[in-house]
Structure formats: C-alpha cells, structure tokens
Amino acid sequence: MAKSGQFAVFLVFAALPVLYFYFKSPLKIFHKIGSYEERSLPSIRDFSRNGHLFSDIHSCHCLAKKPDRSLLPDNNRGEIRGNQERSLSLTTDVAKSVVEIMNPRVYYHVCDTLAIKIQSRAKQGTWKTYGGDYFRVKLFTDKPYSAIGPDYFFDYENGTYLALFTLRWPGTVRVDAMLVHPSEAVQILNRTQQGSAATVFTFYGTFQTTAPNGTVYTEDVTCGVAPFKPPMCNVSAKHTHGPWFCKKPTNEHLSCDDWAVVFMSTKESSAKLQKTLSKAELAAFKSTKTKLKTLSLPSINVRGAAPDPDALPTCTLAPVTSSVQTRGFYYNNTWQPYHCSLKSFKPNDIQSCMTKKTIHIYGDSTGRQMYYYLQKSTTCDNIEISGEKRCVGNGTTLRYKFHGPPIRGSGKLNAKKLRYVAEEIDDLEGGPDVFIILSIWAHFGVPDGTFYRDRLEAIKSAVGRLWQRSPETKVIVRSANTREHSIGGFILISSDWIALQGEKTLRDVFSQDRRFSFLDVWDMTLVQKSKDSIHPLDPTLIQIMNHLLTMMC
C-alpha cells in the first residue's frame, strides 16, 4: 500500500512539467519568412482565464475580456514582413482560405469568449506568407436578427488572423466572414490614397456671363485642388481650407469672376482611374466583399441570460472615440450600445423631441438623408433657400447644406451660392437648444488624406470660435458607414477600405476635444443585416436615427 502511494506521488510530480507545457505553450504557426522568428497565437486554453491573457473591463452586463497585449502579436514588429511586396499571382482566394473556431465547445455561456482564426490561402492552395487582407467578421443569429463584431482583430502578418468575440446573447450563433479586399488590392488602394489618383480626377468649372446685348457666353474648364500653370483662376476660400483652382477660360468675354458651376465627370474619372492599373492589378478587384466558407463550422450554442437594456442608463451625448472598435451589437433587430440604452422614436416622438430646437446639418448626402428623415416627421414644409434645404415651423428649425467642393457623382454645385462649412459656422448663433450635425466623409476619399484632415481642422477651428460665443451649443460628428462596392476603376476611391482610412482621420481630429459628440454609424453598418449602401437602408437608418435622437432628447 505504501509503495503504491509513493508511486502515485511520483506520477503526479512527473506529470507536472507535461501539464505546465500543455496549458502554457502557444499554438504555433509553422511558417517562417527569411530569418524571422515564428509568430505564435496565444494559447486557446488561456481564453477563459481572467488575469492571464485577459483583464476584465465592465461592458454592458458582461465583463468584456481585454487581451493582455504583451501576450498577443505586436503588429508594429517585423516591418519588412508587413511591407513585403504582394504577389498578384498569389491573390487571396476565399474558396481555399480556412475559417476555424479555436475554442470549440458543446455549449458556451453568455459573456464567454469565442476565438475565430482565419488562414489565408492563394488560389493555388498555398498558405499566404504575409498579411494585409481586409476581412469583416461577425457573429450573428438570423431570426430575430442579432449580430456583433469582434472585440479585437489581429493580423499576424503571415497570412493568419485572429478575431476575439464576447458572446452577448443566448441561442444558436453562426459565424460570417467576408473578404472585402485581398492584401494585394489593399496595397494598390494604399498607393492610390497617397495621391496617385488625385491627378486623374476630372473636375470641371462652368464659367458663364450674359453680355449687355443678351448674348450668353459659357465655357467649361478643368478645375481641382492643385494650382494649374498660368493663366488660371484661384477661386479658393483660403481661411476655411477650401483650395480650388480652375484653368482660366479662353473666351475673352469670361473672367474669373464668372465662375458659376462646379461638377465632376464621373465617367471620365472612372476611365482614367482604371487606366492607372495594369490588367493584373485590375484583376485584384474583379470581386469584392466575397464570403468565406463557414457553414461547416460546428454549432455555437450559447446559454445564459438575455441582454437587458432597461438595466442600463439612457444614452447621452458622448465624446468622439479615438479608435475604430466594436462598441455595440444588434439584439432582436435593435442596436444596443455596450454602456447605455436607446429609445425608440415614433413620428410623434420625433416631433416632440425637435420642438424648440434648431438643428443645422452640414455635409454630404448621408447628412441630407438624416435631414429628410427628421423633416418628414415634423409639421413643416421643406423649402430651398440659397442652395440649402430648410424646414421651419412649430418652434423647430431644421437646415441642411452641402459642404462644398470636392463634389463626386453627377451632381452640380452652384458656385455663386457656395459656402464652406467653416464659413457657415462662423456666421451661426449658438445656444443650449442649437445642434450642429457634421456628416462629412463620402466625397473626401480623394485627393488625399491631408486634404481631408485640413478641411476637418478648419471646421474644428470654426466650432471653437462658436463655442467662445456660445459654449452651450452641441456639435455631433457622424461617422462614415460601409457602402456598396462598384467594380472597375471607381472602386479605387469608393471602397470601404478608403472610407476606413478617412474614418481614422476624422476620429483623430475630433477626439482631441471632448466637447465634440459622436454618432458611430461605422460600428452599426459593419454588422447590419441590410445590404451595404452609401445611404443606409431603412432597418439600419431607423437605428441610426434612434441613437441620434436619444442623445439629443
């Protein structure tokens, strides 16, 4: 008996090293590039162990698990690997790439972590040896619709990606993984955004005048944000960062003061953009937003309590967040931020909310969409005055105005009525019931990121001057959203990847002043049930506007 007890003790001590390495050793990715050391995924056995891989932060009714970054891949290391030249013959293939649940279980509990790994492969079936693919991954339940994006998404820069999710509702959950662009296309988009596309955009200006004898003289000339060789017309609004130049009309009856219309030739610009790509480069964009194979993944069955939004405080105005990160989810067809709850607004509720408020919306057509949503629920008539839309009645003033050049698409802008957002704000009277909503992103995929940043900084400075006059004025910044992708040259400036780069710039500018409030539409549209659209479809738009109105009222 004594001998058997001694033998059992011996076995326990002999097994300790094995157990230690079983629980502590990471899962290796068996790929090396040159002399680089192997990168490793964090051990899946650590995913549910608080205090090691994760530290707790309170979020909704879950303790969201925040990775200890010292144990995760450092994306700033291995710069040569990250900048490795992409091979257009090895474009990522969704049919060959592999999606895997790293911590499968018979069932999970609400607030558990789910880890999803993606291994990129080329069409030949070979594993990719560099990262940079632009993926969108979500968990969802179809009926009623619930969905969430990852808390963290890591690019190991060797073809392997890791998405970490917090499970937030009970039921059967599925994985959806989409390749927006392969890394080979992202490399081309990055080159485009750095300015190579700026020179091929075709903007025009119409110069027009009427002579005393009634003769009308008209001429269309090329315009843009960069000066031309003389003779040219400088029609810039310098103090609001509105650089705009046109070639001088050749007609002797026309002067620079006769600038009347600004517009863009979409067809011509798209053709020129396409010519900037070789046939092999264009092939990298032949498909976009393609789904990876996930139907064969094991079931994700989640047990536990359903989310209870009523237990959370009502959402109020909150500052712009500096990082693009998941901060909410859909549950039963309704958007649920992590830290607060939203109200649902019927037309009468919208009317009541807007009473005695003055709302100025500046920006692109996504701002105009918000204007029309509010206007149809108010007892006032929509009228156009000096190039703006206005609705006044029952103590409510609602306005929308376009942000000025650049303008994309088929629209034309009356240069005589042109005013930039900063100019508009400089002339505003603010107050505690005055709201400014900025939705400025869709037309700024070009010419380059610096141009966009400078425009935003000019608007930010104008708001700062307004706050000196009227510190109680509320300013809400609307984020970008995902959109439909066109195939061909125009995707070089209409891709979600381009919008995401601009989104980072927007947040960087406005998060520096916590007086700016934020409406995060990007988060909502990443995991929406509706199709991506430059103008979010009604099911998503209702959630966007409920969020806006909850903050305002």
Side-chain angles (χ1 to χ4, degrees):
M1 193 72 180
K3 287 185 178 180
S4 62
Q6 291 174 352
F7 181 72
V9 172
F10 170 78
L11 285 178
V12 169
F13 278 98
L16 284 176
V18 176
L19 291 170
Y20 176 83
F21 284 106
Y22 174 80
F23 283 102
K24 297 297 288 186
S25 61
L27 298 173
K28 296 294 183 180
I29 303 170
F30 297 103
H31 289 280
K32 292 185 179 181
I33 302 176
S35 60
Y36 285 98
E37 296 180 359
E38 289 182 335
R39 291 287 181 88
S40 59
L41 289 171
S43 172
I44 299 305
R45 299 170 189 84
D46 290 330
F47 284 162
S48 61
R49 298 175 60 195
N50 295 330
H52 182 66
L53 181 63
F54 296 110
S55 58
D56 292 340
I57 54 173
H58 183 69
S59 177
C60 194
H61 71 288
C62 289
L63 289 175
K65 300 171 180 64
K66 184 177 181 181
D68 178 349
R69 291 185 179 275
S70 68
L71 299 175
L72 291 170
D74 181 356
N75 288 332
N76 294 319
R77 288 162 49 192
E79 291 185 0
I80 297 177
R81 177 186 295 182
N83 295 329
Q84 181 181 348
E85 186 68 24
R86 275 53 173 151
S87 172
L88 291 171
S89 64
L90 296 174
T91 303
T92 305
D93 188 334
V94 294
K96 299 294 177 62
S97 299
V98 179
V99 182
E100 180 183 356
I101 297 175
M102 298 294 286
N103 55 337
R105 301 176 189 171
V106 175
Y107 62 85
Y108 302 79
H109 290 96
V110 170
C111 298
D112 281 352
T113 294
L114 184 75
I116 303 294
K117 184 177 81 169
I118 299 176
Q119 180 65 59
S120 291
R121 294 187 182 184
K123 60 184 178 181
Q124 298 88 344
T126 56
W127 286 26
K128 300 292 287 291
T129 57
Y130 49 78
D133 291 316
Y134 181 21
F135 287 108
R136 274 168 58 178
V137 190
K138 68 179 180 181
L139 303 181
F140 74 100
T141 299
D142 197 41
K143 293 181 180 180
Y145 186 72
S146 302
I148 192 170
D151 294 320
Y152 296 93
F153 187 86
F154 297 99
D155 180 351
Y156 283 48
E157 297 179 355
N158 59 9
T160 301
Y161 305 83
L162 179 68
L164 301 180
F165 295 85
T166 299
L167 298 169
R168 293 185 177 273
W169 65 88
T172 301
V173 177
R174 295 164 56 193
V175 179
D176 181 88
M178 173 195 296
L179 176 65
V180 181
H181 293 301
S183 56
E184 295 76 16
V186 170
Q187 182 172 257
I188 297 168
L189 290 171
N190 187 57
R191 183 187 73 202
T192 299
Q193 208 216 12
Q194 296 304 317
S196 66
T199 57
V200 300
F201 266 85
T202 307
F203 294 103
Y204 285 108
T206 299
F207 287 73
Q208 182 175 304
T209 190
T210 302
N213 64 2
T215 303
V216 177
Y217 297 98
T218 300
E219 185 178 340
D220 290 343
V221 299
T222 305
C223 300
V225 298
F228 296 93
K229 291 181 179 179
M232 70 170 181
C233 295
N234 184 349
V235 291
S236 305
K238 297 179 182 177
H239 70 288
T240 61
H241 189 75
W244 204 253
F245 304 88
C246 295
K247 291 182 177 180
K248 190 173 183 179
T250 57
N251 191 311
E252 61 181 8
H253 295 93
L254 295 170
S255 70
C256 292
D257 294 333
D258 297 321
W259 184 42
V261 176
V262 57
F263 63 99
M264 171 187 175
S265 173
T266 302
K267 184 177 181 180
E268 192 174 344
S269 296
S270 182
K272 286 185 177 180
L273 281 166
Q274 193 157 320
K275 287 181 181 178
T276 65
L277 304 182
S278 67
K279 289 184 178 180
E281 289 175 327
L282 194 59
F285 295 95
K286 68 179 179 181
S287 60
T288 178
K289 296 190 176 181
T290 50
K291 296 294 184 71
L292 282 75
K293 296 178 179 179
T294 57
L295 292 178
S296 61
L297 292 175
S299 297
I300 303 167
N301 298 306
V302 184
R303 298 178 179 179
D308 181 13
D310 294 336
L312 297 172
T314 302
C315 294
T316 56
L317 294 170
V320 179
T321 55
S322 58
S323 61
V324 181
Q325 192 171 350
T326 300
R327 289 182 171 85
F329 60 102
Y330 286 99
Y331 181 64
N332 288 352
N333 298 310
T334 301
W335 182 251
Q336 173 58 61
Y338 284 168
H339 299 291
C340 59
S341 63
L342 301 180
K343 301 175 185 176
S344 178
F345 285 79
K346 305 298 182 184
N348 288 342
D349 300 323
I350 296 174
Q351 173 72 66
S352 176
C353 172
M354 294 177 61
T355 300
K356 296 183 179 181
K357 288 184 175 64
T358 298
I359 303 169
H360 305 276
I361 303 176
Y362 298 112
D364 51 48
S365 58
T366 59
R368 186 179 65 217
Q369 182 187 32
M370 299 170 75
Y371 170 89
Y372 282 134
Y373 186 95
L374 297 173
Q375 185 265 332
K376 71 180 182 181
S377 297
T378 58
T379 54
C380 63
D381 295 323
N382 176 53
I383 57 176
E384 289 206 23
I385 303 174
S386 299
E388 73 176 50
K389 299 184 184 300
R390 181 177 294 184
C391 180
V392 180
N394 289 327
T396 299
T397 299
L398 177 64
R399 295 176 62 235
Y400 163 78
K401 194 169 180 67
F402 184 68
H403 55 57
I407 180 171
R408 283 166 46 179
S410 58
K412 293 189 175 183
L413 192 62
N414 187 333
K416 299 298 183 184
K417 298 178 180 179
L418 171 63
R419 299 196 78 212
Y420 289 88
V421 176
E423 293 176 297
E424 287 283 324
I425 293 174
D426 276 336
D427 290 342
L428 282 187
E429 256 186 60
D433 295 317
V434 176
F435 289 80
I436 296 173
I437 300 171
L438 303 173
S439 185
I440 302 171
W441 64 275
H443 294 251
F444 285 87
V446 292
D448 57 56
T450 302
F451 177 83
Y452 183 43
R453 179 181 290 275
D454 289 345
R455 180 69 65 85
L456 296 179
E457 291 285 3
I459 294 170
K460 180 181 175 183
S461 296
V463 172
R465 293 189 290 271
L466 172 62
W467 278 331
Q468 290 179 348
R469 305 190 302 272
S470 303
E472 293 179 305
T473 307
K474 284 84 172 176
V475 182
I476 301 172
V477 179
R478 180 202 189 277
S479 77
N481 55 258
T482 58
R483 61 170 298 168
E484 68 279 13
H485 277 186
S486 59
I487 302 300
F490 207 65
I491 198 172
L492 293 177
I493 48 88
S494 62
S495 161
D496 283 351
W497 187 89
I498 293 289
L500 178 58
Q501 309 319 303
E503 179 68 9
K504 293 174 183 177
T505 298
L506 179 140
R507 295 185 191 223
D508 185 56
V509 170
F510 290 112
S511 65
Q512 297 172 22
D513 189 331
R514 294 180 64 82
R515 292 176 293 178
F516 286 96
S517 301
F518 194 47
L519 178 62
D520 192 346
V521 179
W522 186 261
D523 201 8
M524 293 187 196
T525 56
L526 275 179
V527 296
Q528 65 185 336
K529 185 175 184 178
S530 302
K531 293 181 179 180
D532 289 340
S533 174
I534 183 67
H535 303 118
L537 303 183
D538 281 349
T540 304
L541 178 62
I542 290 170
Q543 303 304 314
I544 293 169
M545 298 308 292
N546 280 343
H547 199 163
L548 174 68
L549 291 164
T550 300
M551 293 193 296
M552 291 175 57
C553 303

